[in-house]
């Protein structure tokens, strides 16, 4: 079980937001924290602490007036910590190489592959061909509906027909190196983890999986470890003291050594 740090960027600023408030058509979100420092500051911090496998997420859609400011922040952070961070948000076969060349260890893909409620296997194959399976992370961020967890896309607003379970994890693991899974219903709310989702992911025991969403205390980390059998990595946003929360970043950094 490994701590994976994050850098979320919106409107050119490092932020922590309520994930369900994000929409493609607007540049406003419900904010938990807006950093005074830029993305490079956090990339340098993670590099100095020797934390690997973290991720940068671009929260503005490519059509947004703020997209270039957000993308610039992201690229500068990748250059500050080459090989130490993954990147997601609007990734496709045309732009993926640029992020890898800037220093990303992996690219994270959701909406290019999951659209209109289905998995586009032709697009998944394009992504694998473009970057290689070993540098591809699939984001299976999901929301609960009728006691099942469904992958959601388009800034987490639209449900697909893809359920997160052993079958789909087995199937998609043939195309990628890792999975990133945001529990969207609790993302940014520091209200505790989605235990059911953690159990599903932990019981799979396939490729590396990073869980995100709802962690609000060291007790939640212990609970995640218990639910998953210690197999899941995890990331923390709003609850981390770096972003206005109470969980000590230094404690987590020391735990990795």
């Amino acid at each position: 079980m490994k701590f994976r740090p994050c850098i979320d960027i919106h409107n050119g600023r490092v932020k922590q937001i309520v994930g369900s408030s994000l929409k493609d058509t607007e540049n406003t979100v419900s904010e938990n924290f807006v950093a005074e420092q830029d993305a490079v500051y956090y990339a340098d911090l993670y590099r100095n602490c020797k934390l690997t496998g973290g991720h940068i997420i671009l929260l503005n859609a490519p059509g947004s007036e703020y997209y270039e400011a957000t993308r610039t922040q992201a690229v500068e952070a990748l250059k500050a910590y080459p090989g130490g961070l993954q990147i997601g948000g609007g990734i496709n076969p045309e732009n993926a190489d640029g992020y890898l060349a800037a220093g990303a260890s992996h690219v994270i893909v959701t909406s290019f592959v999951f659209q209109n409620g289905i998995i586009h296997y032709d697009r998944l194959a394009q992504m694998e061909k473009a970057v290689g399976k070993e540098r591809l992370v699939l984001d299976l961020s999901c929301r609960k509906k009728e006691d099942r967890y469904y992958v959601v896309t388009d800034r987490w607003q639209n449900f697909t027909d893809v359920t997160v379970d052993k079958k789909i994890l087995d199937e998609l693991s043939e195309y990628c190196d890792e999975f990133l899974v945001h529990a969207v219903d609790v993302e940014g709310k520091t209200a505790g983890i989605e235990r059911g989702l953690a159990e599903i992911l932990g019981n799979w025991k396939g490729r590396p999986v990073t869980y995100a969403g709802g962690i609000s205390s060291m007790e939640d980390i212990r609970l995640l470890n218990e639910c998953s059998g210690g197999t899941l990595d995890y990331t923390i946003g709003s609850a981390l003291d770096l972003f206005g929360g109470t969980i000590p970043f230094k404690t987590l950094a020391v735990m990795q050594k």
Side-chain angles (χ1 to χ4, degrees), residues 7-8 52 81 112 164 188 227:
I7 304 173
D8 294 347
T52 59
Y81 190 7
F112 181 77
V164 178
C227 290

Side-chain angles (χ1 to χ4, degrees), residues 13 17 23 35 37 40 54 116 124 136 153 161 175 180 188 199 207 211 236 245 253-254:
R13 302 284 299 277
I17 70 167
K23 294 178 173 60
Q37 301 88 350
V40 170
N116 302 319
L124 183 55
L136 181 60
T153 62
D161 63 358
Y175 296 88
L180 171 63
E199 289 170 358
R207 296 192 177 280
Y211 170 92
I236 302 174
V254 169

Side-chain angles (χ1 to χ4, degrees), residues 9-11 17-29 56-68 70-71 88-92 95 99 108-112 114-116 139 141-143 150-160 182-185 187:
I9 309 173
H10 180 257
N11 292 2
I17 70 167
V18 176
S20 57
S21 71
L22 190 63
K23 294 178 173 60
D24 261 340
T25 56
E26 301 174 12
N27 292 312
T28 58
V29 293
I56 301 171
I57 301 296
L58 288 71
L59 295 175
N60 290 104
S64 165
E65 63 186 294
Y66 294 99
Y67 178 74
E68 277 305 312
T70 292
R71 191 187 70 83
I91 302 296
N92 57 55
N95 63 22
Y99 290 120
I108 305 167
V109 176
T110 308
S111 294
F112 181 77
F114 300 95
Q115 285 190 356
N116 302 319
D139 184 338
S141 295
C142 56
R143 303 180 74 174
Y150 289 84
V151 174
V152 288
T153 62
D154 308 307
R155 299 300 182 268
W156 302 339
Q157 299 302 308
N158 296 321
F159 280 86
T160 69
H182 289 85
V184 174
D185 290 324
E187 175 72 19

Side-chain angles (χ1 to χ4, degrees), residues 14-220:
V14 175
K15 295 183 182 180
Q16 286 297 314
I17 70 167
V18 176
S20 57
S21 71
L22 190 63
K23 294 178 173 60
D24 261 340
T25 56
E26 301 174 12
N27 292 312
T28 58
V29 293
S30 178
E31 298 171 344
N32 289 330
F33 178 85
V34 181
E36 294 181 2
Q37 301 88 350
D38 62 10
V40 170
Y41 169 86
Y42 291 98
D44 284 339
L45 177 63
Y46 302 155
R47 175 175 51 80
N48 291 335
C49 291
K50 297 182 171 56
L51 295 172
T52 59
H55 57 271
I56 301 171
I57 301 296
L58 288 71
L59 295 175
N60 290 104
S64 165
E65 63 186 294
Y66 294 99
Y67 178 74
E68 277 305 312
T70 292
R71 191 187 70 83
T72 298
Q73 282 279 312
V75 170
E76 291 303 310
L78 292 175
K79 291 178 179 177
Y81 190 7
L85 295 165
Q86 305 170 358
I87 190 166
I91 302 296
N92 57 55
E94 285 68 46
N95 63 22
D97 275 346
Y99 290 120
L100 294 174
S105 67
H106 296 69
V107 292
I108 305 167
V109 176
T110 308
S111 294
F112 181 77
V113 170
F114 300 95
Q115 285 190 356
N116 302 319
I118 62 174
I119 303 173
H120 291 263
Y121 284 95
D122 57 334
R123 292 185 166 212
L124 183 55
Q126 289 176 42
M127 280 305 314
E128 183 190 11
K129 182 178 180 181
V131 303
K133 173 180 177 178
E134 69 281 358
R135 303 193 78 176
L136 181 60
V137 177
L138 288 181
D139 184 338
L140 301 185
S141 295
C142 56
R143 303 180 74 174
K144 194 173 186 179
K145 182 172 67 172
E146 298 174 352
D147 295 323
R148 303 183 76 181
Y149 293 95
Y150 289 84
V151 174
V152 288
T153 62
D154 308 307
R155 299 300 182 268
W156 302 339
Q157 299 302 308
N158 296 321
F159 280 86
T160 69
D161 63 358
V162 181
T163 57
V164 178
D165 54 24
K166 181 181 184 301
K167 180 177 182 293
I168 201 65
L169 291 167
D170 283 341
E171 188 175 298
L172 295 179
S173 67
E174 296 300 314
Y175 296 88
C176 68
D177 192 45
E178 297 184 9
F179 293 102
L180 171 63
V181 183
H182 289 85
V184 174
D185 290 324
V186 295
E187 175 72 19
K189 298 180 180 179
T190 60
I193 67 169
E194 282 274 11
R195 296 183 61 168
L197 179 60
E199 289 170 358
I200 291 169
L201 298 173
N203 287 334
W204 179 56
K205 297 181 177 64
R207 296 192 177 280
V209 179
T210 300
Y211 170 92
I215 295 176
S216 61
S217 65
M218 295 299 294
E219 174 60 20
D220 281 335

